[in-house]
């Protein structure tokens, strides 16, 4: 999802998991000194918001996500963690290259399936800049889960991920 150079000289990244009932945000320590392939990455701090208990619009949900990210950015700063200029987002649905959701966002509050709505662009405008070459990438949540397993699946091909939550998801991978 992101070029490796972006993590050099940084301690952690921001990560987001958007689901049909919850949003999770976290600071993930990359621990590259222990494992250059990120196999030793660990969640340092996280927040969980069960937004489905509230009747929210898409805009209110995005505002809540922005508040969560700002709190985590401030916690990282107070702890002298150097965040990479990257936010990775896992979200249900068919995600277009520009970060819009083509289909599959029906469990999310409001209309997320629109080429006029682009969550990565909205976050880039709303949160403090993390540094030069800042990148916000959103991809299908099952694909993101599968990518997190790549360091452990080097001797297996093909392999798949199946996710069960408010909705169902899957992704198939092939090591070449």
């Amino acid at each position: 999802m992101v070029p490796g150079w972006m993590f050099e000289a940084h301690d952690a990244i921001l990560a987001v998991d958007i689901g049909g009932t919850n949003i999770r945000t976290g600071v993930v320590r990359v621990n590259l000194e222990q494992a250059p392939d990120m196999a030793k990455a660990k969640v340092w701090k996280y927040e969980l918001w069960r937004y489905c208990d509230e009747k929210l619009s898409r805009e209110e949900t995005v505002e809540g996500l922005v508040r969560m990210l700002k709190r985590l950015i401030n916690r990282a700063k107070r702890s002298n963690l150097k965040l990479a200029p990257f936010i990775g987002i896992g979200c249900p649905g068919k995600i277009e290259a520009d970060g819009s959701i083509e289909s599959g966002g029906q469990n999310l509050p409001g209309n997320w399936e629109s080429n006029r709505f682009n969550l990565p662009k909205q976050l880039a405008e709303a949160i403090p800049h993390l540094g030069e070459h800042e990148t916000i990438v959103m991809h299908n949540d099952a694909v993101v889960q599968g990518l997190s397993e790549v360091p452990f699946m080097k001797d297996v091909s093909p392999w798949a991920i199946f996710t069960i939550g408010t909705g169902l998801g899957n992704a198939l991978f092939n090591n070449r």
Side-chain angles (χ1 to χ4, degrees):
M1 280 182 59
V2 64
W5 63 263
M6 200 168 253
F7 300 123
E8 292 174 8
H10 296 94
D11 302 313
I13 62 169
L14 285 170
V16 178
D17 177 19
I18 300 172
T21 56
N22 302 302
I23 294 177
R24 292 174 179 86
T25 58
V27 175
V28 178
R29 294 202 61 145
V30 292
N31 296 322
L32 295 177
E33 65 283 348
Q34 295 176 18
D37 64 359
M38 296 180 78
K40 298 292 184 179
K42 299 274 188 241
V43 175
W44 174 69
K45 300 286 181 195
Y46 75 94
E47 291 194 16
L48 170 66
W49 175 27
R50 186 176 167 81
Y51 70 83
C52 73
D53 295 334
E54 307 168 42
K55 299 288 184 220
L56 300 172
S57 68
R58 178 183 71 200
E59 291 74 21
E60 291 169 320
T61 306
V62 172
E63 289 169 7
L65 171 57
V66 168
R67 286 191 299 272
M68 294 171 78
L69 288 169
K70 285 181 176 179
R71 283 191 299 267
L72 286 171
I73 290 167
N74 288 333
R75 287 181 86 173
K77 283 181 184 176
R78 285 193 305 268
S79 295
N80 294 318
L81 275 181
K82 189 170 181 187
L83 290 173
F86 173 78
I87 301 173
I89 306 168
C91 185
K94 182 177 180 198
I95 312 300
E96 295 294 325
D98 70 353
S100 62
I101 302 174
E102 180 182 310
S103 61
Q106 66 272 9
N107 291 331
L108 304 173
N111 180 17
W112 291 52
E113 296 176 8
S114 168
N115 60 5
R116 292 184 309 276
F117 173 68
N118 187 296
L119 181 61
K121 286 181 184 174
Q122 285 197 353
L123 292 179
E125 294 170 4
I127 62 167
H129 287 282
L130 300 171
E132 194 177 345
H133 308 294
E134 182 170 87
T135 302
I136 301 176
V137 176
M138 185 163 83
H139 211 310
N140 174 270
D141 52 355
V143 172
V144 172
Q145 180 184 355
L147 291 172
S148 74
E149 295 298 318
V150 166
F152 311 106
M153 304 302 266
K154 292 179 179 168
D155 297 332
V156 180
S157 187
W159 54 280
I161 292 290
F162 183 66
T163 62
I164 302 173
T166 307
L168 301 174
N170 63 71
L172 178 64
F173 296 87
N174 189 349
N175 292 330
R176 295 181 207 175

